[in-house]
Amino acid sequence: MEFSKEALEAAVQAAVHHAHIGMSEEAFLACQQEMEFITGWAKELEALALEDTPMTISVNLPGTCPTRPDELSPSMGSKEALAQAPVKMGSCFVVPQIIE
Amino acid sequence: MNIHELSMLELATKLADKSLTSVEATQACLERISETEPKLNAFIYVDAQGALEAAAASDKRRSRGEALGPLDGLPMALKDNIFVAGLKTTCASRMLQNFVAPMDAAVVQQLRQAGMVLLGKLNMDEMAMGSSSTSGVFGAVHNPYALERSAGGSSGGSAAAVGARVLWAALGSDSGGSIRQPASFCNVVGLKPSFGRISRRGVVAYASSMDQVGPMARKVKDIAALLTLLAQPDEEDVLCNPRPGGDYTQGLEQGMGGMRVGLWRESLEGADKEVAACIGEAAKACERLGAQVEELSLPLSRMAPLAYALISAAEASSNLARFDGIRYGHAGTQAPNLHALYFNSRGEGFGKTVKKKLTLGTFVLSSGHYEAFFVKAAKLRTLLCEEIKQAFKKVDLLLSPVASTPAFPLEFNPTPAQSAALDTHTVLANLVGLPALSLPYGFSAQGLPIGIQLMGKAFEEAALLRCAHALEEDKPSFQRAPLL
């Protein structure tokens, strides 16, 4: 897949937007350089006959997947589970205001 | 006796015959940490009080004849992407700088059940992404053999602490070479077990189809003892092998007679002369020890770093999506709306390397690019698995460099191409899920350690360790300590 300089910049902008990452101009340029290199390198994939090849998503899956009995068992208490939660005010969590 | 020159199992013997106590060993570690930390920066957190309490409890057990096992009372430490209940797990990232782990990782439970003393958390590349241990928020780790050089990454703190004789053993994690490359740079043994050999429950995910936890120590026997402890089933990690690994310390002395060793031809392309010389020397040693050595070509392996770059970025972008300042992680400031909150949180929380990885991962998974990049990379992975499967019909073991060069200077700022080349020899084992080990095998003219990589068949760590032990015994001169 070929990318012009403008197309690549737009692709990086879109990826940054979807990834929700604020970044400086310097960091953006570093991302753009990285993507330019990788998309150029990935042209080598076109030389491979991959049409009938299945994807490998994971390897070494042992025999059967272990399962747990479908029954209730003690789990982490609510105090521990909420230890990292935002500060509470009354019965509510205090979170940043997000409604404009 | 210099306690720091003992191997882990030699120290275990001293604890067992009560010529040393766990408190003495732990205090020796803490003193060594005070001496070396200003130079190495290997630790993110030292839990001196917790460690001394655990050591005292171990000594009491031993005095009552109730030791929990041969490793009871041995101090060790963990890479800071492994959960220890009640301690921060930061992944060397501002994003998780205040995250306190709510539970122990499975491997930590296993270490505690064996009575081991947890000394603290070790420095690393941010979110385990990197090959230099310079990208973390806590600063660069320095190589104990040359302080102005990198300790490798991403488990650089683990390797530096073991190499500097601060610790007898440590745990790291390896998604593309993060145990083996720093082990090679710091003159320690590092094992990435088969995918699924050790539970990953409680380890912060980076590239889920490749992440593995593994031990680092100065001797192969120590690695075998730690793997025996850690290679257990875990029904809470569905990708963990349900069969226990067994006792890897048994049969280590059987040598490598009759083994077929493949010298991975492509791995020597572009290798530094001194690295190539080490591999040649190791090949000769294998023959001398009774193995058959043949050169083996894996042409597709040249493309393994590309598959790794695409797949690891995709998996990272998915795994790290949870760090948005609301569900987990640093919450950004001054956000007028939800989108801005996400942007600020992730923009402030992540460093440059992680941002590059996540941007690339989001790109290769996005509609319009998914088929051309991610799907093709996953198909290439299938071809790589097949190529390796055919290779292992001819040989029992693959020999290669761990890295093309010894440790590089800390200020080395690689181009994207140079950065990808740092992982060239290590990523294949992660993509195909095989066990691979870095064994110290020499020094450059500048006194920098050089490791060799041995890759074995899936879940055949016993054979891998047996051969590594034979090579180690054949050439003990590489156990040279750093001048630190």
Side-chain angles (χ1 to χ4, degrees):
Chain A
M1 187 176 267
E2 289 282 351
F3 285 92
S4 66
K5 199 168 170 122
E6 294 73 28
L8 189 70
E9 190 177 337
V12 177
Q13 261 168 358
V16 167
H17 178 79
H18 291 307
H20 299 299
I21 303 176
M23 60 174 76
S24 63
E25 198 173 329
E26 186 201 357
F28 183 86
L29 284 173
C31 285
Q32 201 170 328
Q33 275 181 349
E34 177 93 354
M35 295 261 281
E36 193 174 358
F37 167 70
I38 295 281
T39 52
W41 192 12
K43 283 180 200 156
E44 291 181 22
L45 290 168
E46 288 163 19
L48 299 173
L50 296 171
E51 293 74 29
D52 299 324
T53 307
M55 292 164 68
T56 294
I57 300 299
S58 196
V59 291
N60 288 351
L61 289 180
T64 53
C65 198
T67 57
R68 278 180 286 170
D70 184 14
E71 59 192 31
L72 288 175
S73 60
S75 64
M76 189 181 279
S78 60
K79 194 176 166 190
E80 294 159 87
L82 294 174
Q84 313 287 328
V87 177
K88 273 174 85 173
M89 186 186 287
S91 60
C92 302
F93 290 123
V94 179
V95 296
Q97 184 180 336
I98 55 169
I99 299 171
E100 291 170 272
Chain B
M1 174 188 63
N2 180 352
I3 185 173
H4 299 289
E5 286 303 321
L6 299 173
S7 72
M8 186 191 81
L9 287 182
E10 285 166 350
L11 176 64
T13 305
K14 300 273 179 203
L15 294 175
D17 68 17
K18 299 193 177 69
S19 54
L20 267 175
T21 66
S22 177
V23 167
E24 285 169 338
T26 304
Q27 272 170 338
C29 268
L30 293 170
E31 283 163 24
R32 184 87 179 124
I33 288 170
S34 302
E35 276 171 30
T36 57
E37 266 308 276
K39 295 172 190 163
L40 291 179
N41 195 28
F43 279 81
I44 287 177
Y45 177 70
V46 178
D47 184 17
Q49 191 187 338
L52 285 169
E53 284 170 9
S58 168
D59 289 336
K60 273 189 190 163
R61 284 194 296 273
R62 279 205 188 273
S63 67
R64 293 196 301 262
E66 295 170 359
L68 296 173
L71 306 183
D72 196 339
L74 273 165
M76 72 122 64
L78 316 156
K79 186 176 181 179
D80 200 25
N81 60 349
I82 301 172
F83 280 12
V84 176
L87 297 189
K88 283 183 184 173
T89 296
T90 70
C91 289
S93 177
R94 188 175 178 213
M95 179 57 84
L96 288 175
Q97 215 166 352
N98 295 311
F99 176 75
V100 179
M103 60 180 208
D104 279 340
V107 289
V108 172
Q109 289 175 342
Q110 289 161 334
L111 298 177
R112 286 196 202 277
Q113 281 160 12
M116 295 189 80
V117 172
L118 305 182
L119 261 170
K121 308 298 288 293
L122 293 155
N123 206 348
M124 56 188 281
D125 274 307
E126 184 181 11
M127 292 288 175
M129 297 175 198
S131 308
S132 60
S133 295
T134 56
S135 68
V137 73
F138 299 104
V141 180
H142 296 253
N143 190 311
Y145 286 84
L147 293 171
E148 74 290 357
R149 288 183 182 257
S150 165
S154 63
S155 308
S158 306
V162 176
R165 274 64 172 164
V166 174
L167 296 169
W168 293 271
L171 291 190
S173 70
D174 188 318
S175 308
S178 286
I179 287 174
R180 289 161 285 156
Q181 185 248 28
S184 173
F185 282 11
C186 296
N187 203 37
V188 305
V189 187
L191 172 69
K192 181 206 86 73
S194 306
F195 184 75
R197 183 61 287 170
I198 293 178
S199 171
R200 299 173 304 165
R201 173 164 52 88
V203 181
V204 179
Y206 155 30
S208 302
S209 74
M210 295 179 278
D211 297 342
Q212 262 300 282
V213 175
M216 301 165 90
R218 290 213 316 276
K219 302 284 279 184
V220 174
K221 274 186 177 176
D222 300 342
I223 296 287
L226 286 165
L227 186 64
T228 301
L229 177 67
L230 300 171
Q232 304 297 333
D234 179 11
E235 63 175 22
E236 293 185 52
D237 175 357
V238 292
L239 296 178
C240 186
N241 193 321
R243 291 184 299 276
D247 186 350
Y248 293 98
T249 61
Q250 296 297 310
L252 274 182
E253 310 292 343
Q254 286 172 8
M256 59 191 305
M259 294 292 281
R260 299 166 302 165
V261 177
L263 180 55
W264 174 11
R265 186 185 299 157
E266 288 76 11
S267 71
L268 292 169
E269 292 169 359
D272 180 283
K273 272 185 192 168
E274 290 176 306
V275 171
C278 268
I279 298 300
E281 204 182 317
K284 280 184 198 156
C286 289
E287 284 178 338
R288 196 168 58 242
L289 293 167
Q292 288 175 291
V293 180
E294 62 170 294
E295 206 174 285
L296 201 69
S297 177
L298 301 171
L300 281 172
S301 67
R302 290 193 188 99
M303 295 182 77
L306 172 60
Y308 175 78
L310 296 169
I311 293 168
S312 66
E315 294 183 359
S317 79
S318 175
N319 278 322
L320 273 63
R322 74 193 73 180
F323 301 120
D324 58 12
I326 292 179
R327 286 176 293 176
Y328 291 96
H330 166 81
T333 48
Q334 303 291 321
N337 56 48
L338 181 61
H339 198 62
L341 176 69
Y342 289 155
F343 257 71
N344 293 354
S345 299
R346 290 164 68 80
E348 293 164 15
F350 291 134
K352 195 169 130 187
T353 304
V354 176
K355 285 178 181 177
K356 280 195 289 189
K357 197 89 171 175
L358 299 186
T359 305
L360 175 64
T362 306
F363 169 76
V364 303
L365 289 178
S366 61
S367 128
H369 304 303
Y370 174 75
E371 293 284 338
F373 294 99
F374 181 76
V375 170
K376 282 191 177 171
K379 288 183 172 188
L380 168 58
R381 191 178 187 180
T382 304
L383 299 183
L384 287 165
C385 288
E386 186 55 32
E387 186 171 80
I388 278 287
K389 192 175 156 190
Q390 295 306 321
F392 274 104
K393 284 181 181 168
K394 296 179 199 154
V395 298
D396 304 302
L397 210 66
L398 276 178
L399 170 65
S400 73
V402 179
S404 296
T405 65
F408 44 81
L410 279 168
E411 67 269 19
F412 176 52
N413 183 18
T415 62
Q418 288 170 325
S419 191
L422 294 175
D423 298 330
T424 298
H425 311 312
T426 49
V427 295
L428 182 62
N430 301 83
L431 285 162
V432 301
L434 299 186
L437 176 141
S438 174
L439 181 73
Y441 210 75
F443 287 88
S444 71
Q446 288 181 284
L448 301 171
I450 298 172
I452 58 170
Q453 177 174 248
L454 301 171
M455 199 188 305
K457 296 177 181 174
F459 298 111
E460 293 194 13
E461 278 83 355
L464 184 63
L465 292 167
R466 196 174 74 231
C467 294
H469 179 65
L471 285 166
E472 183 184 60
E473 292 287 293
D474 180 63
K475 194 187 175 192
S477 59
F478 51 56
Q479 294 287 330
R480 187 197 301 170
L483 298 171
L484 185 71

